[in-house]
Amino acid sequence: AQSVAQPEDQVNVAEGNPLTVKCTYSVSGNPYLFWYVQYPNRGLQFLLKYITGDNLVKGSYGFEAEFNKSQTSFHLKKPSALVSDSALYFCAVRRGLNYGGSQGNLIFGKGTKLSVKP
Amino acid sequence: KAGVTQTPRYLIKTRGQQVTLSCSPISGHRSVSWYQQTPGQGLQFLFEYFSETQRNKGNFPGRFSGRQFSNSRSEMNVSTLELGDSALYLCASSFAADLSYEQYFGPGTRLTVT
C-alpha cells in the first residue's frame, strides 16, 4: 500500500534561516512525488513535483526538494525562510505506473505546520 | 486563466439531509478529483473523474457519489448526512489523467452538519 509520512507536526524557524520539512514515502514502483501548501481557509497550492530525472527539483516561491531513492525521502527545503511562508505543508505520492484503472489518486501525508518567526 | 472554482463555499445542513457540491475545473482540464479534509483524518481521496467516467474511487460509503458533465464540471452528492461528514471538501483538476500531471485545487466547500 502507498503511504506518506511527515514525521513533524510542526516546524519552527526564524526568518532568514533555512528550513526543511521532512517527508518519507512508501510505494511500489517508481513514485511521483508532490508538495503542496495550504494557507488558512484556502485550498492547496502546488509547489513542486518529482517525476524523473534530476533529484533536486525547484518549485514556486524559492522552494526546492530533494528526492532520495535509497532513503525513500522527498524533503522540502528553502534557503531563507520568510514569515509569509508560515502555512501547512503537505507531501503527496502517486504510484508512477501507467494509468490503467489502478490507483492514480494522490496519497497525502498528515501535513506539517511551518511557523516562521520574525 | 481562472482557477478551480467551487460552490457554495460554506454550507450548513442537518443530519439526514442531502447536499450537492459543485466544481468547475480550470479551462481545458478534463480530470477532476474530490477530497475530504478533516482535522482527524487529514486529506482523503473520494473519487476521480475523467471524460465523464469515474476512474477511481476511495474508501467511502455509497452515500457519497459524484458525476462529471461533458464540459468537465463535476458535482458530488452526499445523502443522509451524518455529523462525521462535516469537513472541507476539496475539488482538484488536472489536464489529463496522466499520473505525472499535478492537480490544482479549488478553495473548498466547508460543510457543517448539525
Side-chain angles (χ1 to χ4, degrees):
Chain A
Q2 303 170 81
S3 65
V4 176
Q6 293 182 241
E8 301 153 318
D9 290 336
Q10 181 155 343
V11 170
N12 298 312
V13 178
E15 188 175 32
N17 283 1
L19 69 87
T20 298
V21 183
K22 295 179 181 178
C23 170
T24 58
Y25 65 90
S26 174
V27 67
S28 56
N30 294 319
Y32 290 168
L33 295 154
F34 302 81
W35 274 102
Y36 286 85
V37 59
Q38 186 177 35
Y39 296 97
N41 300 314
R42 302 281 294 276
L44 277 67
Q45 293 180 31
F46 169 73
L47 281 178
L48 50 79
K49 66 181 179 182
Y50 172 81
I51 303 301
T52 188
D54 193 350
N55 289 343
L56 183 65
V57 294
K58 296 187 182 296
S60 306
Y61 313 118
F63 284 93
E64 58 189 28
E66 186 167 12
F67 171 65
N68 188 316
K69 188 172 183 177
S70 63
Q71 297 186 4
T72 62
S73 67
F74 189 55
H75 301 330
L76 181 70
K77 300 181 180 184
K78 187 174 183 182
S80 179
L82 299 173
V83 172
S84 58
D85 292 331
S86 298
L88 190 56
Y89 289 80
F90 290 95
C91 181
V93 67
R94 266 174 164 169
R95 190 171 56 188
L97 296 176
N98 290 329
Y99 195 85
S102 59
Q103 295 287 322
N105 52 284
L106 286 169
I107 303 296
F108 285 91
K110 291 292 187 184
T112 298
K113 183 178 180 181
L114 174 66
S115 178
V116 183
K117 300 295 185 185
Chain B
K1 207 181 250 190
V4 178
T5 57
Q6 293 186 245
T7 56
R9 292 293 310 277
Y10 302 92
L11 265 179
I12 300 176
K13 291 286 187 179
T14 304
R15 269 184 306 176
Q17 290 185 315
Q18 76 166 20
V19 67
T20 299
L21 311 182
S22 182
C23 171
S24 292
I26 292 172
S27 178
H29 285 194
R30 297 169 62 192
S31 175
V32 173
S33 297
W34 289 88
Y35 295 85
Q36 182 196 65
Q37 185 177 23
T38 60
Q41 298 299 316
L43 281 153
Q44 293 186 287
F45 170 75
L46 281 157
F47 22 67
E48 176 191 5
Y49 289 88
F50 181 77
S51 293
E52 301 179 69
T53 301
Q54 187 179 90
R55 298 295 294 268
N56 197 4
K57 189 177 190 303
N59 188 26
F60 278 81
R63 300 185 297 106
F64 291 81
S65 63
R67 59 178 176 169
Q68 186 181 33
F69 302 95
S70 58
N71 61 358
S72 294
R73 192 176 69 85
S74 178
E75 289 181 346
M76 68 163 281
N77 183 277
V78 187
S79 63
T80 319
L81 284 166
E82 300 177 359
L83 294 179
D85 297 333
S86 295
L88 181 67
Y89 290 88
L90 293 165
C91 169
S93 75
S94 61
F95 178 71
D98 187 306
L99 299 179
S100 67
Y101 282 95
E102 60 271 21
Q103 294 183 337
Y104 291 89
F105 285 77
T109 293
R110 173 76 62 184
L111 173 65
T112 302
V113 182
T114 62

